[in-house]
Amino acid sequence: MWDYEILKLFWWVAVGLLLIGFVITDGMDMGAAMLMPLVSRSDSERRVVINTLAPHWDGNQVWLVTAIGAVFAVWPVVYGAAFSSFYFAMLTILFSLFFRPLGFDYRSKLESPQWRGWWDRGIVAGSLIPTAFFGLIFGNLLQGVPLEVDQYMRASYDGSYLGLFNPFALLCAALSVVMVMLHGGTWLVARADDAVAARSARLVQPLGLLSLGLFGLGGLWVWLSGMGYSIDQMGDTGTALNLLDKQVGPGSWMDVYAREPLTLLAPLGAVAGIVTAMWLSARRQGGAAFTASSVGVGGVVATAGISMFPFIVPSSRMGEASLTLWDSVSSELTLSIVTVAGLVMVPTIILYTTWCYVKMWRRVTVSHVEQDGHSLY
């Protein structure tokens, strides 16, 4: 097996790819659900939107579950610190997610428009709230979390729930919502009835422009404010490090792009993917547009991760307490065991997810949902 330093770096990349997989897959169905009131004009058209997601929405969340499990196994200190720091934000996400499975399964049980209308609102809320809060959490991570570590390596958080709602974090939340809606729009262009697909294609254009504007504004904010941290001194990254065995000073998240020009591929890929998705959606090339928007949203997530390297949870209160991929990691033996399991399980997830998308790739029409009213959502 690889040496300790390579294992640490491997799992930083692996967890990043799992999060990107979550944003691409679950972001698609959350974005489409948020667009449902805007692109459908009847109950049958709303059912069209829901049934484009039906084969995939619950399986898409496997990416999030896998990523959280990987963080627990690979970065236990990060798991404890992040989940306690963002405890109420995580609970907000969890409780809002309850509405999605209930809405999908119960909305069509009764013919009542009021019954279906309220479940539709629940589906939209259960998609909008988690998307916004994921962006909010990332916005706070980029700024640094008020985290401290005592002499016994116990992390403590000195922040508040309301403190999460600061201007930069709200900008990140808005970007998260808009780009996910864009991604869901390209999915509907590819999979929905012609009328719904046409309305989705028209919405992709302003959503793309908004995504580019918010992404650019966020980058400008980071650059002008000098947001970020740097490691001034650290021990041997190939060994087991104490959390406080480093010196952290002010820096900029933009520094990595000057040091390593190849990292510019992430933000450039985000911009190119979004622009291409807009162009292809206007021409009703849904499958290609969905692929392009996948590159775009993946590039946005990759930009955040690469900018923060090697930080995972930077501390705004006590720089040395910042959690990095080098010092908040499990033992070499644990990483070796988890790597073997990951090399088996992750390709399996990718293969069966790909198989599901290929086998169930077809356009859902109004006539289809009306003819199969009792076997579809």
Side-chain angles (χ1 to χ4, degrees), residues 157-174:
Y157 173 73
D158 187 21
S160 66
Y161 181 69
L162 292 179
L164 299 177
F165 296 86
N166 55 77
F168 180 76
L170 291 172
L171 170 66
C172 293

Side-chain angles (χ1 to χ4, degrees), residues 38-113:
L38 304 176
V39 299
S40 55
R41 299 290 184 269
S42 65
D43 181 68
S44 293
E45 289 185 344
R46 286 188 285 276
R47 293 184 66 195
V48 164
V49 173
I50 291 172
N51 281 284
T52 64
L53 313 175
H56 310 292
W57 70 268
D58 48 353
N60 291 340
Q61 297 181 39
V62 169
W63 291 97
L64 179 62
V65 174
T66 306
I68 292 174
V71 170
F72 175 76
V74 176
W75 300 321
V77 179
V78 172
Y79 181 90
F83 278 76
S84 59
S85 301
F86 301 114
Y87 183 74
F88 289 107
M90 295 291 186
L91 283 182
T92 303
I93 292 172
L94 179 63
F95 289 142
S96 60
L97 283 173
F98 291 166
F99 290 104
R100 285 165 52 78
L102 292 174
F104 285 135
D105 285 329
Y106 284 98
R107 76 167 303 280
S108 295
K109 297 295 185 183
L110 298 178
E111 297 288 341
S112 167

Side-chain angles (χ1 to χ4, degrees), residues 11 72 78 132-133 149 154 165-166 178 182 249 271 303 308 313 328 338 348 355:
W11 276 105
F72 175 76
V78 172
F133 268 78
V149 173
R154 295 177 300 190
F165 296 86
N166 55 77
V178 171
L182 160 75
V271 173
T303 298
M308 292 176 62
V313 182
S328 60
V338 175
T348 303
W355 182 86

Side-chain angles (χ1 to χ4, degrees), residues 81-336:
F83 278 76
S84 59
S85 301
F86 301 114
Y87 183 74
F88 289 107
M90 295 291 186
L91 283 182
T92 303
I93 292 172
L94 179 63
F95 289 142
S96 60
L97 283 173
F98 291 166
F99 290 104
R100 285 165 52 78
L102 292 174
F104 285 135
D105 285 329
Y106 284 98
R107 76 167 303 280
S108 295
K109 297 295 185 183
L110 298 178
E111 297 288 341
S112 167
Q114 290 80 11
W115 170 270
R116 294 186 174 185
W118 279 108
W119 281 121
D120 288 342
R121 294 183 186 96
I123 292 172
V124 173
S127 302
L128 173 63
I129 294 172
T131 302
F133 268 78
F134 281 127
L136 196 76
I137 289 171
F138 266 100
N140 280 278
L141 285 175
L142 285 165
Q143 295 174 93
V145 176
L147 194 69
E148 295 182 358
V149 173
D150 63 18
Q151 59 181 328
Y152 302 108
M153 300 300 107
R154 295 177 300 190
S156 60
Y157 173 73
D158 187 21
S160 66
Y161 181 69
L162 292 179
L164 299 177
F165 296 86
N166 55 77
F168 180 76
L170 291 172
L171 170 66
C172 293
L175 172 59
S176 178
V177 170
V178 171
M179 77 173 186
V180 162
M181 290 177 72
L182 160 75
H183 191 46
T186 61
W187 173 258
L188 293 177
V189 173
R191 295 290 309 279
D193 187 87
D194 285 341
V196 174
R199 297 183 196 115
S200 301
R202 288 194 292 270
L203 281 174
V204 165
Q205 313 310 312
L207 288 171
L209 292 174
L210 272 173
S211 297
L212 292 172
L214 291 171
F215 185 55
L217 180 59
L220 186 64
W221 193 322
V222 169
W223 178 47
L224 293 178
S225 66
M227 187 184 301
Y229 302 87
S230 67
I231 295 178
D232 298 332
Q233 183 179 343
M234 176 171 272
D236 183 1
T237 56
T239 62
L241 294 172
N242 186 298
L243 279 178
L244 301 179
D245 286 345
K246 61 179 179 292
Q247 293 180 7
V248 175
S252 173
W253 297 137
M254 294 296 185
D255 290 344
V256 66
Y257 301 108
R259 293 194 309 269
E260 303 290 343
L262 278 178
T263 57
L264 287 169
L265 290 174
L268 292 177
V271 173
I274 292 171
V275 170
T276 305
M278 294 166 60
W279 182 76
L280 291 170
S281 293
R283 285 152 181 77
R284 299 290 296 277
Q285 298 179 34
F290 177 71
T291 302
S293 67
S294 297
V295 173
V297 300
V300 172
V301 177
T303 298
I306 290 171
S307 299
M308 292 176 62
F309 181 88
F311 292 91
I312 303 171
V313 182
S315 173
S316 60
R317 183 66 55 83
M318 181 182 177
E320 308 83 61
S322 297
L323 308 180
T324 75
L325 68 98
W326 305 123
D327 57 11
S328 60
V329 70
S330 295
S331 69
E332 184 174 3
L333 176 60
T334 300
L335 290 190
S336 298

